Amino acid sequence: MRLSYPKAPSFYEASAAPPPPARETLRGDLHADVAVVGGGIAGCSAALHLAQRGYRVVLLEARCIGYGASGRSGGQSIFGLAASQHTLIEQVGRAAAQRLFDLSVEALDLVQSLISDFNIDCDYAPNHLHVAVKPRHVDELRAWADELHDEYGYGSARFVSGAELPAHIQSPRYLAGLIDTRSGHLHPLKFTRGLARAAENAGVVIFENSQVLRYEDGAEVRVHTAQGTVRCANLVLCCNAYIGTLAPTLARRILGVGTYIIATEPLEERARELLPSNAAVADINWILDYFRRSEDDRLLFGGRVSYSSVQPRQLGESMRKRMLRVFPQLEGMKVSFAWGGYLDITMSRAPDFGRLAPNVYYLQGFSGHGIALTGLAGKLVAESVAGTNERFDVFARIPHRDFPGGPLFRRPSLMLAMLYYRLRDLL
Ligand SMILES: Cc1cc2nc3c(=O)[nH]c(=O)nc-3n(C[C@H](O)[C@H](O)[C@H](O)COP(=O)(O)OP(=O)(O)OC[C@H]3O[C@@H](n4cnc5c(N)ncnc54)[C@H](O)[C@@H]3O)c2cc1C
C-alpha cells in the first residue's frame, strides 16, 4: 500500500515563519560525495554533519523540508528509545543496551547544542513527564525511576507521587509520574527548517520537489529523480514510512502508522494552570496520549493510531473527546487545528539503522521516538561514512524482522495486533 502525504494544515505551519521560497528541483546530472534522501531531521542532520566533515553533499526531498513526521510531530525530545531497555537487552545484550541508552541521552544534548550552535529559534523548553493511567503503571514508573538511577546512572529523572503531580499537571486522569528535566519539547517544524538552513550554510545543496525514484548501487551510486541524476560515492536513505519501492527490503521491516494531533485556541493563563511546570507529557499506554503547551499557550494534544492510509473522519472531534478525558476543564474550548503524520514502526520498536551495500546507508524505524534520536542518527551516519563505524554499528547490530503477511496481509494482521494492544491498555 502506498502512503499518501497527510494534507491537513498543522499549527506548526501556521506558527512558523513563512518558509523560504521553494528550492530548485533537481534537473540534469550532478556529482557529489554523498546524496542524502529525505528532508526530515534525520536527513538534514546527516547532511549537516557530513558537510561539516568536508563532504560535498546533495539532499533530495520529495516535497519540502519538514513535510514528513519531523514537521508534524508532538515535538517531545525524550531519553531512551521506543523499545524498552528490556527488549534491547534481549536483542543485543546488557552492555550494548547500556550503550544505546547512553547514546539516547547524548541525542538529547545534541538537540540543545544544535539549537544553540546554529541559533535555531524553535521554542525549546525543558521537562518531560511520563504519567500513570492505572494502578499497575504506578509500580512500573517507580521501578523505572529506580532502574534509570541504579542501572543506567541516569540522574535527571525521578518518580513523582500522586500528591506531587499537581505541580506538573492538573488532571484527574493520572495517578503518578516520572519527571525528567533533561528531556524537553520544541516546535519541530522550526527545528527542522533551522537544521536545513544550517546544512545549507555548511555547503549542502538541497533540492525540493525531487522525489528519488530509484538508485543503482556500485562503487559509484547513481540516484535518479524524474528529471535528474546524482552520481555519488555514498548514499544515505532517510525516508521514514515513505520508503516504499525505493528499497523494498527496508519497506518490509517497517509499518507506516498514522498518529494525530489537535491544537486548541490559545488558552492563556488556563494553559499555564493545566501544565504548571511546562513539561511535555506522555502516558505509558501502548496507544498513548501525548501533549504539551505551545509557545502561545495552546494545548497541543496528540494520540490515536491508525493503520489505514486515510486520515480519519471527524478527526478534530474524536481527538477533542480524548483531550476532555484528560482535561475535562477544557469543555467548550475550540479546536483550531487537526493534523496527522506517519510513524515508521518496526516489529520490536527498536530503530533500524544499517547499510544495504557498503556505501548505501539507511536510518529508519524511529517508531514514534525520533525527535532527538534522528539528530544523533545523522551524526552517527556521518561518522560512519568518514570511516569510524563503532557508534553507528551499535545501532546497526540490532536485529530486525519483516512484518508478517506480505504486502497484502500485513495491515490486517497489524490491525489485529492493535486490537490486542487496545485491550491490553484497558486492563
Ligand atoms: C504526529 C506525530 C507525532 C510525533 N510525536 C513525536 C514526539 O513527540 N516525540 C518523538 O520523539 N517523536 C515523535 N514522532 C516521531 C518523529 O517525528 C519521527 O520519528 C521523526 O521526525 C522522523 O524523522 P525522519 O527524518 O526520519 O523522517 P521524516 O521527517 O518523515 O522525513 C522523511 C522525508 O523523506 C522524504 N522522502 C521520502 N521518500 C522520499 C524519496 N523517495 N525521495 C525524496 N524524498 C523522500 C519525505 O517527503 C519526508 O520529508 C511523531 C511523529 C508524528 C507523525
Side-chain angles (χ1 to χ4, degrees), residues 5 37-44 60-78 188 192 210-213 238-243 246 257-261 290 339-344 363-364 366-374:
Y5 283 84
V37 186
I41 303 172
C44 292
L60 301 164
E61 163 54 49
R63 300 289 179 116
C64 57
I65 293 294
Y67 195 88
S70 299
R72 301 164 177 274
S73 136
Q76 305 197 0
S77 172
I78 319 168
T192 312
S210 301
Q211 182 180 6
V212 173
L213 302 173
C238 309
C239 299
N240 188 0
Y242 300 103
I243 188 86
L246 187 58
V257 174
T259 172
Y260 305 94
I261 307 183
Y290 52 95
W339 69 96
Y342 292 110
L343 310 171
D344 47 352
L363 304 172
Q364 68 166 11
F366 293 94
S367 302
H369 204 100
I371 282 294
L373 192 61
T374 41

Side-chain angles (χ1 to χ4, degrees), residues 5 57 72 86 127 150 153 168 184 255 283 313 316 354 372:
Y5 283 84
V57 184
R72 301 164 177 274
H86 302 283
N127 292 336
D150 300 344
H168 301 287
L255 194 85
D283 73 38
R313 279 189 294 162

Side-chain angles (χ1 to χ4, degrees), residues 39-94:
I41 303 172
C44 292
S45 169
L48 168 65
H49 286 100
L50 284 159
Q52 284 179 323
R53 288 173 173 271
Y55 291 99
R56 288 172 308 149
V57 184
V58 168
L59 188 153
L60 301 164
E61 163 54 49
R63 300 289 179 116
C64 57
I65 293 294
Y67 195 88
S70 299
R72 301 164 177 274
S73 136
Q76 305 197 0
S77 172
I78 319 168
F79 69 87
L81 308 180
S84 72
Q85 285 301 120
H86 302 283
T87 302
L88 295 171
I89 290 171
E90 278 168 23
Q91 288 183 311
V92 293
R94 180 72 181 75

